[in-house]
Amino acid sequence: MYSIETIDDSWIIKRKYNGLDGQEYIEHHEVDFYWHKVLSIVQINGYPKYPILSKLVKNIFIISHGNADVERGFSANA
């Protein structure tokens, strides 16, 4: 259902501007701004439209982006 949702460009694009070189540049919103907007979509009855997607996105954001914990484990165990 989410893949066919109509997403407003203002959720993605913060602003467009012309640089000194004459090229058009686009400044994007942060990823959490976008997902906050998406996960704020509600059904007619007021319940979230994508409750499972909400859980998935939140869990992805809390996953460690590095391998420091893994390397630390190897160092402690020699």
Side-chain angles (χ1 to χ4, degrees):
M1 288 176 43
Y2 168 71
S3 65
I4 60 172
E5 184 75 45
T6 303
I7 301 297
D8 191 340
D9 282 343
S10 68
W11 294 6
I12 302 168
I13 298 172
K14 189 181 252 185
R15 70 182 181 115
K16 293 181 181 181
Y17 60 94
N18 291 321
L20 297 175
D21 56 2
Q23 273 191 306
E24 183 179 62
Y25 291 93
I26 299 174
E27 184 179 349
H28 294 90
H29 284 288
E30 291 76 17
V31 69
D32 58 332
F33 177 86
Y34 170 79
W35 282 111
H36 174 73
K37 291 286 197 177
V38 170
L39 300 177
S40 296
I41 299 172
V42 293
Q43 299 177 24
I44 295 171
N45 59 9
Y47 290 107
K49 191 169 185 179
Y50 306 110
I52 296 172
L53 181 63
S54 171
K55 292 176 184 178
L56 175 68
V57 169
K58 289 175 184 177
N59 281 315
I60 288 172
F61 281 146
I62 63 171
I63 293 175
S64 175
H65 297 291
N67 58 359
D69 290 334
V70 174
E71 290 178 7
R72 194 173 312 124
F74 284 121
S75 296
N77 295 327

